[in-house]
Amino acid sequence: MFIFASQKNNAMKYKRILLKLSGEALMGERQYGIDPKRLAEYADEIKAIHDKGVEIAIVIGGGNIFRGVAGASNGMDRVQGDYMGMLATVINGMALQGALEEKGMLTRLQTALKIEAIAEPYIKRRAVRHLEKGRIVIFGAGTGNPYFTTDTAAVLRGVEVHADVILKGTRVDGIYDSDPEKNANAVKFNSITFEDVIKKGLNVMDSTAFTLSQENELPIVVFDMNTKGNLLKICNGENIGTVVKI
């Protein structure tokens, strides 16, 4: 009989997480598309916390394939562009699903748009049941509505499935008072409140996603996903990245 690790290990800080990954992160060193090497690295990082019993839901962006906003800026209808972006997130979700299953993990891909040949429709109760059974649930197609980002989809799904935290994996190791890639003197925050993020005008997530997280008292951790072991350290309770706390 399959015994999920959470039945044996209760030492982790978080029991259930929502991991938000950007589509661009999947490019690795490429200019566009999906880098299989980066996918395998992410699968290893996710497996490390899965083996410790953490219940994992994931939302991935689609910017490595298509961005609706970018399409609209070039004359495309915004709604049409956003739906194309949603389909891009499904492609990324399928790619990550394959990488995770190659490592021996059980997964389910659920989408906000009905694509029954490749994914389950998003149903909250079914998603929660999958998580309880130790399956990794990947949410594709954003919220299923144009004009909403995958950041908003991540927070919405996190609230719906009762995640303990939103873990936003980026290429930067936390939140700074200015862009650390442009300003060598940028100062990093180890922790910050929702109110201070707003007062300082810091760009953590889009305003809809951030407000939804604040209203539902769902903390956010921004961290460098590309540094090996960071995801496990966060779930172990180590001070990695920046915590946006209640």
Side-chain angles (χ1 to χ4, degrees), residues 2-244:
F2 176 75
I3 299 176
F4 184 41
S6 64
Q7 296 174 349
K8 301 181 294 181
N9 189 332
N10 297 315
M12 306 301 282
K13 181 176 181 179
Y14 303 113
K15 177 185 177 184
R16 180 177 295 167
I17 67 163
L18 189 297
L19 176 62
K20 170 61 169 66
L21 300 173
S22 70
E24 289 90 339
L26 299 187
M27 293 190 297
E29 301 300 321
R30 301 185 177 194
Q31 298 299 311
Y32 61 89
I34 300 171
D35 179 3
K37 181 175 180 290
R38 177 58 55 82
L39 266 182
E41 290 170 351
Y42 280 3
D44 285 334
E45 294 298 297
I46 293 167
K47 187 176 189 301
I49 64 169
H50 182 264
D51 288 348
K52 293 289 187 178
V54 178
E55 297 174 5
I56 307 161
I58 304 172
V59 170
I60 313 177
N64 56 319
I65 299 173
F66 188 84
R67 276 189 177 277
V69 173
S73 68
N74 290 318
M76 179 179 289
D77 177 72
R78 171 65 189 271
V79 173
Q80 189 84 340
D82 279 356
Y83 278 115
M84 292 171 68
M86 290 179 215
L87 296 179
T89 71
V90 176
I91 293 172
N92 285 339
M94 292 175 68
L96 182 60
Q97 181 180 38
L100 293 172
E101 290 183 344
E102 281 186 9
K103 304 287 184 180
M105 288 166 275
L106 300 176
T107 70
R108 291 294 186 274
L109 175 62
Q110 293 195 345
T111 57
L113 300 175
K114 289 187 178 180
I115 315 177
E116 294 169 352
I118 59 174
E120 297 178 357
Y122 170 68
I123 299 172
K124 181 249 186 185
R125 290 179 182 273
R126 183 179 291 177
V128 170
R129 187 61 180 145
H130 287 322
L131 293 170
E132 290 172 345
K133 288 185 174 181
R135 298 166 184 155
I136 297 172
V137 182
I138 303 167
F139 297 119
T143 66
N145 300 288
Y147 296 99
F148 291 93
T149 68
T150 50
D151 276 350
T152 299
V155 176
L156 177 61
R157 296 292 181 249
V159 171
E160 288 178 317
V161 302
H162 309 294
D164 298 320
V165 66
I166 302 291
L167 300 183
K168 184 172 181 180
T170 69
R171 62 186 182 188
V172 180
D173 65 342
I175 300 171
Y176 287 76
D177 62 353
S178 59
D179 189 343
E181 296 182 337
K182 297 178 181 178
N183 179 13
N185 296 317
V187 178
K188 178 187 170 187
F189 300 99
N190 289 324
S191 65
I192 190 169
T193 64
F194 280 92
E195 289 77 10
D196 283 342
V197 167
I198 295 170
K199 287 178 184 176
K200 296 176 184 295
L202 303 177
N203 185 23
V204 177
M205 289 181 163
D206 71 82
S207 58
T208 303
F210 194 73
T211 301
L212 185 61
S213 185
Q214 182 183 26
E215 288 178 347
N216 288 277
E217 299 184 345
L218 183 59
I220 302 167
V221 179
V222 179
F223 72 104
D224 181 3
M225 182 68 186
N226 297 333
T227 297
K228 186 176 180 179
N230 268 358
L231 186 59
L232 178 59
K233 289 177 181 177
I234 290 171
C235 291
N236 263 326
E238 294 186 38
N239 188 18
I240 301 294
T242 301
V243 180
V244 184

